[in-house]
Amino acid sequence: MKIVKIKQKGVLVPIIYDYDDSLPIVSLKLVFKNSGVVSEKQQGVAKLFAKILNEGTKKLGNTKFNRKLEIKDIHFSFSTGFEAFYMEISSLKENFNFALKAFCELLNDVNFDEKVLEKLKIKTLGSIASKKTDYDYQASLELHKLLYKGSRLQYPLIGDEKSISNIKLIDLKNFMNNLNLSNLFLTLCGDIKFDEINYDKLLDKFDKGKVKKLDFIATSTAKQTKMLKKDTKQAYIYFGSAFDIDKSQYYLANVALFVLGSSGFGSRLMEEIRVKRGLAYSVYARNEFSLSHKSVFGYLQTKNESKDEAIKLVKSEFDKFVKFGITQDELNQAKNFLLGSQPLAKETLFKRMDIAMREFYDGFELGEFDRNLAKIKALKLEDLNKFIKSHTEIAKLSFAVIYK
């Protein structure tokens, strides 16, 4: 695994590369940083653009273009997160040159057609409508409104009825033109030599552009609660708080939250809320770390009449956690699981590349995953508890609850 930089239109574009000929497959991914939902001029454009890229070229249309890929067992994937936009090509080695050619054809002839756009808008509006009775989704949205008020994270990443209805082809074209080389890095892995790809042709569609700034969004510590009454059979409880840590402390946070709420059976939340009291089928809390925001996020469902007791228990467990930390036995169990299971995340070439991509994206040197395992193995209880007790902000929970 190594990082190579190529010069394109005056920009040094990093490529994370790993050669592996154990299987005759190749994967190439383009990652445009700070170019996802966060870069939208109008809500819903990023996800709609990802969808229109799956509609084939304007010349061939959806059916003929994608049939051409299917025959060769070629897979294209287009998606957006809050921060980044992703394009991926994967195929057998023998078909990869064909795949690259088809990919360039697509980028140069995106199916920007009014009828296609209207079809995608109708589907998106249908999805938005169906989510109105998805109370997990709705409770999660309400929590984001509490935690990230005034930011793009406050609103659905998919957009809403008004924003989707107002999207025009020019909005999608402008979004595509905003994807540029200055915010791009690539990953390439599989049975292919680095110099077998014509990078000039692959990246010709993208302009040099400028490096985009990603603003950090502070998570609220206001300890708010939003209760919404709906005709539900149970209460949907989502909770979250700030977690103000440096990226060098991620491994500490992962061990800590493993004990508190992300380990399933055996976690404190599961033990207190399900095992001892039978208030929920499942309950969890996990870290949510990105370049734009950092938080603790959790969820449970319970009977409508048990919601207040469940909320009280969650608050109590967080308070005890930051006040007293964890025990040696809990740390030992966490180490045994994390050290035993996390290496499985690297068992395939594509999993290893996903880890490397995340390391690079987050600003680490490659190999951070393995360094963290070594840090976890050497971690002492007193150091972890000192870390936990210094982050009282995670106990300043906000709750969004939908119940009858």
Side-chain angles (χ1 to χ4, degrees):
M1 190 85 65
K2 61 181 179 180
I3 297 176
V4 183
K5 294 185 178 181
I6 58 171
K7 195 168 186 177
Q8 296 291 309
K9 300 179 181 178
V11 178
L12 288 176
V13 178
I15 303 177
I16 306 171
Y17 172 66
D18 191 12
Y19 177 75
D20 187 330
D21 61 357
S22 57
L23 291 172
I25 52 179
V26 181
S27 174
L28 173 68
K29 183 177 287 188
L30 287 72
V31 182
F32 295 90
K33 298 184 295 182
N34 308 336
S35 303
V37 171
V38 71
S39 70
E40 292 176 333
K41 305 299 182 185
Q42 185 170 343
Q43 291 180 24
V45 167
K47 286 188 172 293
L48 205 58
F49 176 66
K51 290 178 181 179
I52 208 166
L53 287 175
N54 287 309
E55 293 294 318
T57 62
K58 194 165 186 178
K59 179 181 179 181
L60 294 180
N62 184 355
T63 303
K64 289 184 179 180
F65 182 82
N66 286 300
R67 178 60 178 163
K68 179 170 75 168
L69 301 183
E70 185 180 341
I71 291 172
K72 297 282 188 178
D73 197 21
I74 294 168
H75 178 69
F76 289 173
S77 175
F78 306 97
S79 62
T80 185
F82 179 70
E83 297 175 359
F85 193 90
Y86 305 89
M87 301 180 177
E88 184 174 6
I89 312 166
S90 59
S91 77
L92 294 171
K93 174 180 173 60
E94 64 187 72
N95 296 327
F96 196 68
N97 286 333
F98 184 91
L100 286 177
K101 182 179 178 182
F103 184 77
C104 293
E105 288 175 5
L106 177 60
L107 292 183
N108 286 294
D109 189 27
V110 177
N111 201 352
F112 289 129
D113 182 88
E114 289 290 351
K115 291 183 178 179
V116 173
L117 175 59
E118 286 307 308
K119 178 188 74 173
L120 294 177
K121 286 166 70 171
I122 290 171
K123 286 185 177 180
T124 302
L125 291 170
S127 178
I128 292 172
S130 69
K131 290 179 182 294
K132 289 184 177 180
T133 54
D134 181 345
Y135 296 123
D136 277 312
Y137 178 79
Q138 293 298 325
S140 178
L141 285 183
E142 292 300 324
L143 180 63
H144 273 70
K145 291 177 183 178
L146 298 178
L147 295 180
Y148 305 111
K149 186 176 181 180
S151 76
R152 179 62 181 88
L153 280 174
Q154 176 183 344
Y155 304 100
L157 300 189
I158 195 175
D160 57 27
E161 291 93 337
K162 183 178 179 181
S163 66
I164 296 299
S165 298
N166 290 332
I167 291 176
K168 298 178 174 58
L169 285 177
I170 188 63
D171 299 316
L172 301 180
K173 293 177 181 178
N174 288 338
F175 183 86
M176 182 175 184
N177 291 335
N178 203 31
L179 301 175
N180 60 62
L181 299 173
S182 293
N183 298 281
L184 172 67
F185 74 90
L186 286 74
T187 68
L188 174 65
C189 63
D191 188 9
I192 189 168
K193 297 296 178 62
F194 183 82
D195 56 4
E196 288 184 57
I197 293 178
N198 185 338
Y199 296 100
D200 292 337
K201 187 174 182 180
L202 172 68
L203 302 177
D204 180 64
K205 180 65 179 177
F206 305 108
D207 294 330
K208 176 181 179 179
K210 296 181 179 179
V211 176
K212 300 175 186 177
K213 179 184 177 183
L214 182 67
D215 294 326
F216 185 78
I217 302 170
T219 306
S220 174
T221 57
K223 299 172 69 173
Q224 307 166 83
T225 299
K226 179 70 175 290
M227 296 279 193
L228 290 178
K229 296 180 181 180
K230 300 286 184 180
D231 187 17
T232 68
K233 294 181 179 180
Q234 56 189 339
Y236 299 79
I237 301 173
Y238 277 68
F239 54 89
S241 61
F243 204 167
D244 301 325
I245 70 172
D246 183 78
K247 67 181 183 180
S248 63
Q249 298 175 310
Y250 283 178
Y251 78 99
L252 292 167
N254 289 334
V255 177
L257 263 291
F258 179 88
V259 173
L260 178 61
S262 67
S263 58
F265 282 101
S267 75
R268 287 193 178 183
L269 290 176
M270 184 74 86
E271 183 70 18
E272 292 298 323
I273 294 174
R274 173 177 173 165
V275 177
K276 290 184 179 180
R277 295 171 178 83
L279 294 179
Y281 179 74
S282 68
V283 54
Y284 67 81
R286 67 169 186 264
N287 299 313
E288 195 170 77
F289 295 148
S290 68
L291 298 182
S292 61
H293 60 285
K294 295 180 173 68
S295 66
V296 173
F297 171 83
Y299 156 83
L300 67 91
Q301 289 182 25
T302 188
K303 294 177 181 179
N304 283 301
E305 58 269 26
S306 303
K307 72 181 189 316
D308 294 333
E309 183 182 1
I311 291 171
K312 185 178 178 180
L313 280 169
V314 170
K315 291 179 179 179
S316 174
E317 287 306 309
F318 270 81
D319 287 339
K320 287 190 291 185
F321 185 69
V322 299
K323 185 176 182 179
F324 301 111
I326 69 172
T327 67
Q328 185 64 55
D329 184 56
E330 287 174 321
L331 176 57
N332 292 341
Q333 290 184 46
K335 282 186 176 184
N336 289 338
F337 183 87
L338 294 173
L339 295 173
S341 64
Q342 287 205 29
L344 295 176
K346 299 181 69 176
E347 64 183 346
T348 69
L349 171 64
F350 297 131
K351 287 183 178 181
R352 293 194 296 273
M353 182 55 76
D354 283 342
I355 289 172
M357 181 185 76
R358 190 72 235 180
E359 290 172 339
F360 181 82
Y361 183 90
D362 286 339
F364 294 108
E365 292 184 4
L366 298 186
E368 182 67 11
F369 181 91
D370 293 327
R371 288 190 293 272
N372 280 339
L373 290 180
K375 290 177 184 177
I376 290 172
K377 185 176 181 179
L379 183 59
K380 296 180 179 179
L381 180 64
E382 60 188 274
D383 295 326
L384 181 57
N385 279 338
K386 182 179 179 181
F387 167 80
I388 293 171
K389 294 174 184 180
S390 70
H391 287 284
T392 56
E393 75 276 6
I394 69 172
K396 296 177 181 179
L397 293 163
S398 289
F399 288 82
V401 183
I402 294 180
Y403 73 105
K404 183 175 180 180

